[in-house]
Amino acid sequence: MSAAPARIAFIGLGSMGLPMARNLVVAGHEVAGFDMRAEATARLAAHGGRAADSAAAALDGADIAILMVVNITQAEDALFTNGAIEGLSPGGVVIVMATCPPAAMAALAGRVEAAGYGFLDAPVSGGVVGAQAGSLTIMAAGRTDIFETAKPVLDRLGKKIFHVGTEAGQGSTAKAVNQLMCGAHIAVAAEAMALAERFGVDRQTMFEIVSGSAASSWMLLDRGPRMLEDEPHVTSAIDIFVKDLGIVVETGEGAQAPLPMARQALDLFRRVSAAGMGSLDDSQLIRAYRAPIATET
Amino acid sequence: MSAAPARIAFIGLGSMGLPMARNLVVAGHEVAGFDMRAEATARLAAHGGRAADSAAAALDGADIAILMVVNITQAEDALFTNGAIEGLSPGGVVIVMATCPPAAMAALAGRVEAAGYGFLDAPVSGGVVGAQAGSLTIMAAGRTDIFETAKPVLDRLGKKIFHVGTEAGQGSTAKAVNQLMCGAHIAVAAEAMALAERFGVDRQTMFEIVSGSAASSWMLLDRGPRMLEDEPHVTSAIDIFVKDLGIVVETGEGAQAPLPMARQALDLFRRVSAAGMGSLDDSQLIRAYRAPIATET
């Protein structure tokens, strides 16, 4: 790889991917982008990137391929359909930043390495706001030399860049640990506020008490006020945690890790989703505590 | 009651009660204290209070009786054994600040009111540190005029005084809601750190990630570092949450409130306690996730 800014292929230009790719354009990188939705690809072009008409076309001649796709299958398809990965420059690196199960991430790393390229398992937290501001938290795992190669690029996307381990899968594990806490904390806040509600304790007062005590959490402070609304604006949907807590539980499965709190939280999110409310703001998990879907397992 | 500082009977002079009673002495109140352990009663006398040799002797002539005992049975015994409550001044008020089940607290309020006295259900949070500093959070429920009468005294014990409702039991409910979140957050933190551990993700790095992300909680920041130790100093014991989460679940029971997260957390605390580790620091709940007690329900 040359000392010039890395040429980057960016696959997956959704609400996270597009602003991330744009930050790389602003930093002086040549960015070729591809998304299955042509209009998403076109938006990158409007911001100084190059619109590629396939993943293979985006990867062709790139030093680094970043994948911010929906799941591991999309990542695999983008890299291996029509031999796309073979277009990467010698010494090229693949960075998968989507939230995926650790075991699947490790398996994908194996395929990429067998093809002769470096691999970084590097999921993020910080949401759309962090993606736009270039202030994401990045949990990267992979060989130290690969991490060092990718570091200058990661620095353009995030503010806190952690090298959590040398084995692909450990980045995804760190992300799963993070999502376990986020999802379970939403469930705990919903359960607590619903209990206060049931006993006629003023919810606003209750929120004030717990948000200023040892009971507080980031999620309580963020989601709590929206739990007190009937139809809050959707900041992040119930179904996001149906997916993410599903990955958490799958992660534990492979290692016989007991995850009773996460399983219980997943059950609550699934129950609300199954009742047709999967696209509601995730603060509405509190509805799992109200009739008629409040039956306890 | 006169305009002079209220004469106070303080029952229960343990690690919480003694510093609270002392703060009232410092504020200029005449405080008669009683604890079943004579040495605890003697300690109050050493700090300017009057040592009473029974609850009845402490209550005799008091305007306000404060009970910071272990459970509702102790509160009931202190008030009604040998007609102790009849020693209170006309217009006297009973304030129970112990953590008790809401239904039992409401029943006790009924007995006190039938005897002609006011009642305040006013549990606290903030621990020994808050008791010493007079910075407790107080969740008081009861008639508004009773609350106003007690307020100047409560102001000497706490920094945030909430009137959460007009019915006895609602203060205890607010406390249960608070403890639900505290206990469940310890369980979530333990589950998360144990998952990272199992996958060989560096625990210190993992703690740094989640403590700075949307995954954070007050309990994670406080207990997390002690979860990484093998034999941490005991700040609060496992068995405290065996009791408090037991009260949370009992609270829900009476109102058919679904409490899946709290039940699961209680099960974990009980499991560690049953394995003989009830007096360990509650950060050691993480041991529920390690063999041989890690079997999932």
Side-chain angles (χ1 to χ4, degrees):
Chain A
M1 203 163 359
S2 70
R7 288 160 299 178
I8 295 173
F10 206 109
I11 313 299
L13 299 165
S15 56
M16 295 289 294
L18 182 64
M20 290 167 73
R22 239 164 33 199
N23 285 334
L24 295 173
V25 170
V26 169
H29 290 285
E30 204 178 289
V31 180
F34 173 71
D35 192 285
M36 291 193 303
R37 295 157 306 145
E39 70 278 17
T41 309
R43 270 200 294 272
L44 177 64
H47 286 91
R50 179 165 66 79
D53 59 8
S54 68
L59 264 66
D60 193 36
D63 303 307
I64 292 182
I66 299 179
L67 289 88
M68 194 64 206
V69 291
V70 171
N71 55 37
I72 196 77
T73 309
Q74 283 193 5
E76 204 146 15
D77 285 352
L79 292 171
F80 294 99
T81 299
N82 299 325
I85 197 168
E86 290 154 31
L88 277 184
S89 300
V93 170
V94 171
I95 311 177
V96 179
M97 307 190 80
T99 298
C100 303
M105 189 67 96
L108 181 60
R111 279 191 76 181
V112 168
E113 284 162 357
Y117 298 101
F119 188 88
L120 218 53
D121 161 26
V124 306
S125 81
V128 172
V129 172
Q132 289 168 342
S135 66
L136 294 167
T137 294
I138 302 177
M139 295 156 259
R143 269 173 30 206
T144 303
D145 60 314
I146 303 291
F147 176 74
E148 294 302 337
T149 299
K151 184 77 169 32
V153 172
L154 299 180
D155 281 335
R156 296 302 185 159
L157 301 173
K159 207 166 53 182
K160 297 188 206 167
I161 321 293
F162 294 96
H163 188 204
V164 298
T166 54
E167 291 169 35
Q170 290 178 318
S172 294
T173 299
K175 169 77 175 181
V177 167
N178 192 80
Q179 294 311 90
L180 184 168
M181 299 194 73
C182 291
H185 286 168
I186 293 175
V188 170
E191 186 163 309
M193 297 309 293
L195 182 62
E197 197 172 285
R198 198 171 281 247
F199 278 84
V201 173
D202 180 70
R203 299 186 307 173
Q204 193 58 51
T205 305
M206 195 67 241
F207 175 70
E208 205 182 323
I209 292 171
V210 289
S211 62
S213 83
S216 192
S217 71
W218 192 99
M219 279 295 174
L220 172 72
L221 297 176
D222 190 74
R223 287 352 191 237
R226 293 208 296 285
M227 285 181 188
L228 309 188
E229 296 176 35
D230 285 335
E231 300 288 346
H233 174 74
V234 179
T235 302
S236 183
I238 289 283
D239 280 342
I240 301 285
F241 273 109
V242 171
K243 176 196 173 227
D244 283 8
L245 283 172
I247 290 176
V248 170
V249 167
E250 186 180 337
T251 299
E253 221 40 85
Q256 281 82 47
L259 295 171
M261 301 297 287
R263 279 176 195 281
Q264 192 56 71
L266 173 58
D267 180 66
L268 292 162
F269 277 101
R270 280 182 176 157
R271 212 181 296 172
V272 174
S273 182
M277 299 185 276
S279 60
L280 292 188
D281 187 67
D282 60 22
S283 62
Q284 297 308 299
L285 190 70
I286 195 168
R287 300 192 189 198
Y289 292 91
R290 295 181 184 143
I293 55 168
T295 46
E296 202 164 346
T297 48
Chain B
M1 203 163 2
S2 70
R7 286 160 300 176
I8 295 173
F10 206 109
I11 313 299
L13 299 165
S15 56
M16 294 290 294
L18 182 64
M20 291 167 73
R22 240 168 28 202
N23 285 335
L24 295 173
V25 170
V26 170
H29 290 284
E30 204 178 288
V31 180
F34 174 71
D35 192 286
M36 291 192 303
R37 295 158 305 145
E39 71 276 17
T41 309
R43 270 199 293 273
L44 176 64
H47 286 91
R50 178 165 65 81
D53 60 7
S54 69
L59 263 67
D60 192 36
D63 303 307
I64 292 182
I66 298 179
L67 289 89
M68 193 65 204
V69 291
V70 171
N71 54 37
I72 196 77
T73 308
Q74 283 193 6
E76 205 146 13
D77 285 352
L79 291 170
F80 294 99
T81 299
N82 299 325
I85 196 168
E86 289 154 31
L88 276 183
S89 301
V93 170
V94 171
I95 311 177
V96 179
M97 307 191 81
T99 298
C100 304
M105 190 67 98
L108 180 60
R111 279 192 76 181
V112 169
E113 284 161 358
Y117 298 101
F119 188 88
L120 218 53
D121 161 25
V124 306
S125 82
V128 173
V129 172
Q132 288 167 344
S135 66
L136 294 167
T137 294
I138 302 177
M139 295 156 260
R143 268 173 32 207
T144 303
D145 61 317
I146 303 291
F147 176 74
E148 294 303 336
T149 300
K151 183 78 169 29
V153 171
L154 300 180
D155 281 335
R156 297 300 184 160
L157 301 173
K159 209 166 52 182
K160 298 189 206 166
I161 321 293
F162 294 96
H163 188 204
V164 299
T166 55
E167 291 168 36
Q170 290 178 318
S172 294
T173 299
K175 169 78 176 181
V177 167
N178 194 79
Q179 294 311 90
L180 184 169
M181 298 193 73
C182 290
H185 286 168
I186 293 175
V188 170
E191 186 163 310
M193 297 309 293
L195 182 62
E197 197 172 285
R198 199 171 279 249
F199 278 85
V201 172
D202 179 71
R203 298 187 307 174
Q204 194 56 52
T205 305
M206 194 69 240
F207 175 70
E208 204 182 324
I209 292 171
V210 289
S211 63
S213 83
S216 193
S217 71
W218 192 99
M219 280 294 174
L220 172 73
L221 297 176
D222 190 74
R223 287 354 190 233
R226 294 208 296 283
M227 285 182 189
L228 308 188
E229 295 176 35
D230 285 336
E231 299 289 346
H233 173 73
V234 179
T235 302
S236 182
I238 289 282
D239 280 343
I240 301 284
F241 272 109
V242 171
K243 175 195 174 228
D244 283 8
L245 283 172
I247 290 176
V248 170
V249 167
E250 186 180 338
T251 300
E253 220 41 82
Q256 282 82 48
L259 295 171
M261 301 298 286
R263 279 177 194 281
Q264 192 57 71
L266 173 58
D267 180 67
L268 292 161
F269 278 101
R270 280 182 176 159
R271 212 182 296 173
V272 174
S273 183
M277 300 185 276
S279 59
L280 293 187
D281 188 68
D282 60 22
S283 62
Q284 297 308 298
L285 189 71
I286 194 168
R287 299 192 190 197
Y289 291 91
R290 296 180 184 144
I293 56 167
T295 46
E296 202 163 347
T297 48

